[in-house]
Amino acid sequence: MGNTKEAIGMSSSVEWRIQVDDGSKEILVPESKNGFQRFLAALKGLIVNFTLKICNFFKKAWKIGVDDPRKVAHCLRVGVALCVVSLFYYMRPLYEGVGGNAIWAVMTVVVVFEYTVGATLYKSLNRICATGLAGFLAIGIHWVASQSGTKIEPFILGASVFLLASAATFSKFIPVVKARFDYGVTIFILTFSLVSVSGYRVEKLIDMAHQRLATIIIGTALCMVVAMVVYPIWAGEELHFLIIRNMDKVSDSLDCCVAVYFKADEANPNSDEACSKNLEAYKSALNSKGSEDAMANFARWEPAHGLFSFNHPWKQYLKVSSALRNCAYCIEALNSCLYAENNSNSCDIIKELALTIKTMTRSSTIDMSVIKLNDSVQLLHENLKSLSTLLIPEEGPQNTTDENEHKEPVLTVSLIEVIPLVSFASLLIDIAGRVEGLVQAVEGLAKLADFKPAAEEKPGLKSVN
Amino acid sequence: MGNTKEAIGMSSSVEWRIQVDDGSKEILVPESKNGFQRFLAALKGLIVNFTLKICNFFKKAWKIGVDDPRKVAHCLRVGVALCVVSLFYYMRPLYEGVGGNAIWAVMTVVVVFEYTVGATLYKSLNRICATGLAGFLAIGIHWVASQSGTKIEPFILGASVFLLASAATFSKFIPVVKARFDYGVTIFILTFSLVSVSGYRVEKLIDMAHQRLATIIIGTALCMVVAMVVYPIWAGEELHFLIIRNMDKVSDSLDCCVAVYFKADEANPNSDEACSKNLEAYKSALNSKGSEDAMANFARWEPAHGLFSFNHPWKQYLKVSSALRNCAYCIEALNSCLYAENNSNSCDIIKELALTIKTMTRSSTIDMSVIKLNDSVQLLHENLKSLSTLLIPEEGPQNTTDENEHKEPVLTVSLIEVIPLVSFASLLIDIAGRVEGLVQAVEGLAKLADFKPAAEEKPGLKSVN
């Protein structure tokens, strides 16, 4: 453990010196300099390095802004909304109108204003409803508690907070609640605790609850209006175009895949470059499930806009994208046909790798298993070869020894019958290649996490669940 | 549109009546009842229906709790933490110690306490740092503004809020900031706005900022201690075991896939049932990318625990899971070999479907394209067949007409050479089947969203980006 850390520390300091040299080439560091000069040079290097990093950061940020100006627009909208809500502080009549509780309106704007209209509406409506409901409940329970004497009062209040907070937290684990009311539940717990607990000290509880609700409604209303009027970004539209883009990408990938496969022998470097970019395009369809789910969730809070009615079937978009991902999986398989690294016992190896991670020990047998895997791939190859000799008895390129087999009626096996077997076998061979990738990843983990070698007595390939 | 809604309304009312009969069988609704009786029966049905739904909800919730008791434990922890922090209200010395600002501590506990230790630490540390930084900045700007006269003061304050809120919001679009400091940026905007704006009215600004920071530190410290001491749930451990479980599932699926393929002819319904469940198991590996990313993000905030050191390479787990997904994609392809629906022009069809969604019109040519797709699949089949006749010139089961071709030297083509071609072709055929699934999904969308039929002049298959 200690050794590893030291080694990492050493290598990073070496790397750091190289970067210093890289960043400030004008300084030639002499061998015979004193400690203070060394310190100065190092300091200068650090500063240059830091400045370079800051510059890179700003370059990246600038690129994000140029690539999608709507993101910049969103930031300006947030600034505008905050300034407008600040007016409640700066103008005396407004300030006194909400009884000095303008702070809640500012808070609401900061927390509720999101990138898309749908997300803003989701949070706004959740916040209003949850605040209203929780305030109502808390005042009711406070009234009951205040009727039962000052000694029991804190216990009733404490028990109600405990029970309701636990129950509400639990409800977040229910998928439907999580998807639609996650934020609302948090706000419910928050408001209930605040009103219920501060009811013990604050005299005018109803006034406070009422003002809190009023300021929250002001804040959310402002957010909803700004989100929908100033340069609106609709979650539904985003989802719509994301799925269209992904479909185009999958289609381009498939196109390229076929083109590359049939032109593999012709050398055409120009089209190849464009193609290799397109070949990877389908991956964006594989990776966008999370954002699609979120957008479909937000889209249903949005009113009718543009081409989309209020009841637009956003759920169906998820089915479309799921079907599209199904296609993309297959392109994944096709792609691996293109870059076939032909090298199966695959499932045993995966089990053993799981065991390696579970016990956090380096398996001593994994190398043997990989050799076995390669052997069985070899066997599979041999089998396919012998199958091919069965199909072509004369003029076959192989010199087979068992000549008597060639005379058997197996000759009537047609290629069309063995196609499923052949493609299955080649996919098995392909999986073996991927398993080797998995082996490498796990070995990288074992190295970085400093797994101990396994004890001599091998624990066997029992289930690791 | 109107028609569709009416139809839906009708069918749902029919369904509802059936459910009423289901729920309360003792009531035989006579044909000759009057309006009031009808109303009563409907009301009773509604209540029974509602009760059934509530019961179902609680059954589901109960099942969630029984399946994973740690979720229940988490809810109780939240309740305990809230009750402990409430003591600041109930006990006078504590209440006066934080100058009556105990409300911020309660709020912090509600907002910061998350399911895993990592998530709680992430939010806690982000909240403390962001509050400190923002408060410091806001007080500095407030001091500058107060020196420049009462007329300019609100403008300086407003401009600073606008600029900093916009910049901070923009920083959330930078992936690194989003992954590590998303919550911190929100809290930064919140605190800066609150302190800066209320500085215009509140006299003892420094006291307020100081008390806010103190109460937040109290709240977060409480959360961190409870999260780490009372029945801790570590994000790292969760990630570790999730990946192990997924590996087992992928391995089981692969095992079953091979078993089913080679035993497809033997009838063994018992093992088949267990297998068909296992066959689908790999899908959990495909769908867990989002939660794995989140957990790896949280895990790096966690201190050393159990078998994991502080520097445990959580990033590498993501590489392992990515390699595992690669295997799972392939099993996806293998699986479709098992349930081959052999029915390619695939990319054109996907493009056309994208156009359908983009223009929101039902394509009039999609049926033709599907026919063309099926024709080309047929052609591919024919080609494979003729390939097979080339390989087996004598005793082939096909009666071919062009006998002269059989004498050509193509006969020396060995099966091993055509394997990549054959498996590629069969995957193409397979993709065609998936594209049909996509067609169905898009058609479902067109139906539900009430797309108009496309205009007669077909817009052509131009790029739809």
Side-chain angles (χ1 to χ4, degrees):
Chain A
M1 226 31 204
N3 285 341
T4 321
K5 272 188 190 159
E6 266 176 45
I8 289 171
M10 253 172 62
S11 75
S12 77
S13 88
V14 167
E15 209 175 79
W16 172 76
R17 269 186 221 153
I18 292 169
Q19 282 181 326
V20 171
D21 290 354
D22 232 46
S24 55
K25 273 179 179 160
E26 67 273 23
I27 306 170
L28 264 174
V29 186
E31 280 298 312
S32 61
K33 62 193 175 178
N34 61 30
F36 183 68
Q37 277 173 327
R38 270 174 194 269
F39 174 75
L40 270 188
L43 191 70
K44 192 159 185 177
L46 258 181
I47 292 170
V48 169
N49 208 359
F50 186 72
T51 319
L52 276 177
K53 273 196 176 167
I54 296 279
C55 283
N56 269 333
F57 184 82
F58 277 105
K59 258 186 214 162
K60 264 189 206 164
W62 182 260
K63 194 173 173 301
I64 289 172
V66 170
D67 284 355
D68 193 352
R70 296 182 309 165
K71 286 178 179 168
V72 180
H74 170 65
C75 301
L76 300 180
R77 287 192 307 168
V78 172
V80 168
L82 263 179
C83 286
V84 170
V85 87
S86 303
L87 289 180
F88 276 86
Y89 259 93
Y90 299 141
M91 296 168 78
R92 186 164 291 275
L94 287 178
Y95 183 74
E96 281 162 5
V98 293
N101 277 308
I103 208 84
W104 293 109
V106 177
M107 227 163 130
T108 301
V109 169
V110 173
V111 177
V112 152
F113 208 134
E114 292 280 331
Y115 185 55
T116 61
V117 176
T120 309
L121 287 176
Y122 154 74
K123 280 196 153 185
S124 299
L125 297 176
N126 263 284
R127 192 174 176 100
I128 292 176
C129 294
T131 304
L133 187 65
F136 191 73
L137 247 177
I139 288 175
I141 289 176
H142 179 257
W143 183 82
V144 170
S146 66
Q147 298 295 315
S148 44
T150 42
K151 281 209 169 166
I152 315 178
E153 190 179 350
F155 292 100
I156 293 184
L157 291 178
S160 71
V161 167
F162 178 83
L163 286 178
L164 272 166
S166 298
T169 306
F170 185 76
S171 77
K172 280 196 195 181
F173 289 116
I174 299 165
V176 182
V177 178
K178 177 88 191 163
R180 296 192 203 172
F181 308 114
D182 187 47
Y183 184 67
V185 171
T186 306
I187 294 299
F188 176 86
I189 304 176
L190 186 66
T191 307
F192 184 81
S193 311
L194 291 191
V195 175
S196 171
V197 168
S198 58
Y200 190 65
R201 300 254 171 224
V202 176
E203 294 308 305
K204 295 178 178 174
L205 190 64
I206 295 187
D207 280 3
M208 178 195 145
H210 170 248
Q211 280 165 4
R212 193 177 169 203
L213 189 60
T215 44
I216 281 180
I217 288 177
I218 292 171
T220 49
L222 178 71
C223 286
M224 289 194 274
V225 168
V226 173
M228 283 197 278
V229 173
V230 186
Y231 211 90
I233 297 160
W234 304 95
E237 216 172 80
E238 296 283 298
L239 176 64
H240 186 80
F241 288 112
L242 175 65
I243 286 186
I244 291 172
R245 269 201 309 277
N246 277 344
M247 280 175 146
D248 281 341
K249 282 179 181 170
V250 167
S251 152
D252 288 347
S253 281
L254 186 53
D255 222 1
C256 268
C257 208
V258 176
V260 167
Y261 189 83
F262 287 111
K263 288 171 190 167
D265 34 359
E266 302 169 23
N268 187 354
N270 285 334
S271 76
D272 271 12
E273 247 173 59
C275 252
S276 69
K277 202 176 161 190
N278 272 340
L279 270 180
E280 301 289 311
Y282 70 93
K283 289 200 170 159
S284 100
L286 288 181
N287 292 331
S288 57
K289 183 175 186 296
S291 51
E292 280 164 6
D293 284 354
M295 279 194 263
N297 242 335
F298 293 142
R300 69 166 90 170
W301 295 88
E302 292 175 348
H305 58 278
L307 295 160
F308 311 102
S309 66
F310 181 67
N311 274 325
H312 200 71
W314 300 114
K315 284 254 158 198
Q316 186 68 21
Y317 278 85
L318 296 183
K319 285 187 192 161
V320 172
S321 86
S322 152
L324 187 67
R325 266 198 301 282
N326 252 347
C327 292
Y329 292 149
C330 223
I331 296 181
E332 174 81 33
L334 268 182
N335 246 344
S336 63
C337 282
L338 293 181
Y339 306 107
E341 322 148 64
N342 281 354
N343 311 332
S344 261
N345 297 344
S346 298
C347 41
D348 282 353
I349 291 205
I350 299 180
K351 276 231 171 81
E352 195 160 341
L353 292 172
L355 197 70
T356 299
I357 298 189
K358 194 191 178 196
T359 59
M360 298 182 90
T361 50
R362 283 168 198 269
S363 166
S364 55
T365 55
I366 198 80
D367 293 338
M368 280 302 294
S369 302
V370 171
I371 291 172
K372 260 164 71 187
L373 176 73
N374 285 333
D375 281 355
S376 63
V377 167
Q378 204 58 38
L379 198 69
L380 211 55
H381 268 294
E382 296 293 333
N383 287 344
L384 285 174
K385 252 182 207 161
S386 67
L387 181 67
S388 92
T389 59
L390 285 179
L391 289 171
I392 324 165
E394 314 123 330
E395 296 157 326
Q398 288 86 15
N399 295 324
T400 50
T401 49
D402 42 355
E403 296 228 349
N404 53 334
E405 266 203 45
H406 291 175
K407 310 300 170 209
E408 286 182 17
V410 198
L411 293 171
T412 55
V413 171
S414 78
L415 179 62
I416 202 84
E417 285 172 43
V418 297
I419 281 175
L421 179 68
V422 168
S423 49
F424 186 77
S426 58
L427 275 172
L428 268 183
I429 291 174
D430 177 58
I431 284 195
R434 286 156 192 256
V435 167
E436 288 220 344
L438 190 60
V439 169
Q440 278 164 18
V442 172
E443 276 183 352
L445 176 66
K447 208 170 159 189
L448 289 169
D450 206 27
F451 284 5
K452 288 171 210 77
E456 276 310 298
E457 59 276 16
K458 193 191 151 208
L461 296 177
K462 34 185 179 179
S463 166
V464 284
N465 202 3
Chain B
M1 219 39 200
N3 285 342
T4 321
K5 270 185 191 161
E6 264 176 44
I8 289 170
M10 253 174 62
S11 75
S12 78
S13 90
V14 167
E15 211 174 77
W16 173 76
R17 269 186 221 154
I18 292 167
Q19 282 180 327
V20 169
D21 289 353
D22 234 46
S24 57
K25 273 179 180 161
E26 66 273 24
I27 307 169
L28 263 175
V29 186
E31 281 296 314
S32 62
K33 62 193 174 180
N34 61 28
F36 184 68
Q37 277 173 327
R38 269 171 194 270
F39 174 75
L40 271 188
L43 191 71
K44 193 161 184 177
L46 260 179
I47 293 171
V48 169
N49 208 358
F50 186 72
T51 318
L52 275 177
K53 274 195 175 165
I54 297 278
C55 281
N56 268 334
F57 184 83
F58 277 105
K59 258 186 213 161
K60 265 188 205 161
W62 183 259
K63 195 173 171 302
I64 290 171
V66 170
D67 283 355
D68 194 351
R70 297 182 309 167
K71 287 178 179 167
V72 179
H74 171 65
C75 301
L76 300 181
R77 288 191 308 169
V78 172
V80 168
L82 263 179
C83 285
V84 170
V85 88
S86 301
L87 290 181
F88 277 86
Y89 259 93
Y90 299 141
M91 296 169 78
R92 186 164 290 276
L94 287 176
Y95 183 75
E96 280 163 4
V98 294
N101 278 307
I103 208 82
W104 295 109
V106 176
M107 226 163 130
T108 302
V109 170
V110 174
V111 178
V112 151
F113 208 133
E114 292 279 331
Y115 185 56
T116 59
V117 176
T120 308
L121 288 174
Y122 154 74
K123 280 195 151 183
S124 299
L125 298 175
N126 263 284
R127 192 174 175 100
I128 292 176
C129 296
T131 303
L133 187 66
F136 190 72
L137 248 177
I139 288 175
I141 289 176
H142 179 257
W143 182 81
V144 170
S146 66
Q147 300 293 315
S148 45
T150 42
K151 280 209 172 167
I152 316 178
E153 190 179 351
F155 293 100
I156 294 183
L157 292 179
S160 71
V161 167
F162 178 83
L163 287 177
L164 272 166
S166 298
T169 305
F170 185 77
S171 77
K172 280 198 197 183
F173 290 116
I174 300 164
V176 183
V177 178
K178 177 87 190 164
R180 293 189 206 176
F181 308 114
D182 187 47
Y183 184 67
V185 171
T186 305
I187 294 298
F188 176 86
I189 303 176
L190 185 66
T191 307
F192 185 81
S193 311
L194 290 192
V195 175
S196 169
V197 168
S198 58
Y200 191 65
R201 300 254 170 222
V202 176
E203 294 308 306
K204 294 178 178 175
L205 192 62
I206 295 185
D207 279 3
M208 179 195 144
H210 170 250
Q211 278 165 2
R212 198 184 163 198
L213 190 59
T215 45
I216 282 179
I217 289 176
I218 292 171
T220 49
L222 178 70
C223 286
M224 290 194 274
V225 169
V226 173
M228 283 196 279
V229 172
V230 186
Y231 210 92
I233 296 159
W234 303 95
E237 217 173 80
E238 296 283 298
L239 176 64
H240 186 80
F241 288 113
L242 175 65
I243 286 185
I244 292 173
R245 266 201 313 277
N246 278 343
M247 281 173 146
D248 279 343
K249 283 180 181 169
V250 168
S251 151
D252 286 348
S253 281
L254 186 52
D255 220 2
C256 267
C257 209
V258 175
V260 166
Y261 190 82
F262 287 111
K263 287 172 190 168
D265 34 358
E266 302 171 23
N268 188 354
N270 284 336
S271 75
D272 273 10
E273 245 173 61
C275 253
S276 69
K277 201 176 161 191
N278 272 340
L279 270 180
E280 301 289 310
Y282 69 93
K283 290 201 170 156
S284 101
L286 289 181
N287 292 331
S288 57
K289 183 175 186 297
S291 52
E292 280 164 5
D293 286 353
M295 278 195 264
N297 243 333
F298 292 142
R300 68 167 90 171
W301 294 88
E302 292 176 349
H305 59 279
L307 295 159
F308 312 101
S309 65
F310 181 67
N311 275 323
H312 200 71
W314 300 113
K315 284 253 160 199
Q316 186 68 21
Y317 277 85
L318 297 183
K319 285 187 192 163
V320 172
S321 86
S322 151
L324 187 68
R325 266 198 300 285
N326 254 347
C327 292
Y329 293 149
C330 226
I331 295 182
E332 175 80 32
L334 267 183
N335 245 344
S336 61
C337 283
L338 292 183
Y339 305 107
E341 321 151 65
N342 282 354
N343 312 332
S344 250
N345 296 345
S346 297
C347 40
D348 284 353
I349 291 205
I350 298 180
K351 277 232 171 80
E352 196 160 340
L353 291 174
L355 197 71
T356 298
I357 298 190
K358 194 192 178 196
T359 60
M360 297 182 90
T361 51
R362 282 167 197 269
S363 167
S364 55
T365 55
I366 198 82
D367 292 339
M368 282 301 296
S369 304
V370 171
I371 290 171
K372 261 164 70 189
L373 176 73
N374 284 333
D375 281 355
S376 62
V377 168
Q378 204 57 36
L379 198 69
L380 210 57
H381 268 294
E382 296 292 333
N383 289 344
L384 284 175
K385 252 182 208 162
S386 67
L387 182 67
S388 95
T389 59
L390 287 179
L391 290 170
I392 324 164
E394 314 123 330
E395 296 157 324
Q398 288 85 17
N399 295 324
T400 49
T401 48
D402 40 358
E403 296 229 351
N404 51 336
E405 268 203 45
H406 290 174
K407 313 297 169 206
E408 286 181 17
V410 199
L411 293 172
T412 55
V413 172
S414 78
L415 179 62
I416 203 84
E417 285 173 43
V418 297
I419 282 175
L421 179 68
V422 168
S423 48
F424 186 78
S426 57
L427 274 171
L428 270 182
I429 291 174
D430 177 55
I431 284 196
R434 286 155 191 258
V435 167
E436 288 221 346
L438 191 59
V439 169
Q440 276 165 18
V442 172
E443 277 184 351
L445 176 65
K447 208 170 158 189
L448 288 171
D450 207 26
F451 284 6
K452 289 173 209 73
E456 276 309 298
E457 59 275 16
K458 191 190 151 207
L461 297 177
K462 35 186 181 182
S463 166
V464 286
N465 203 2

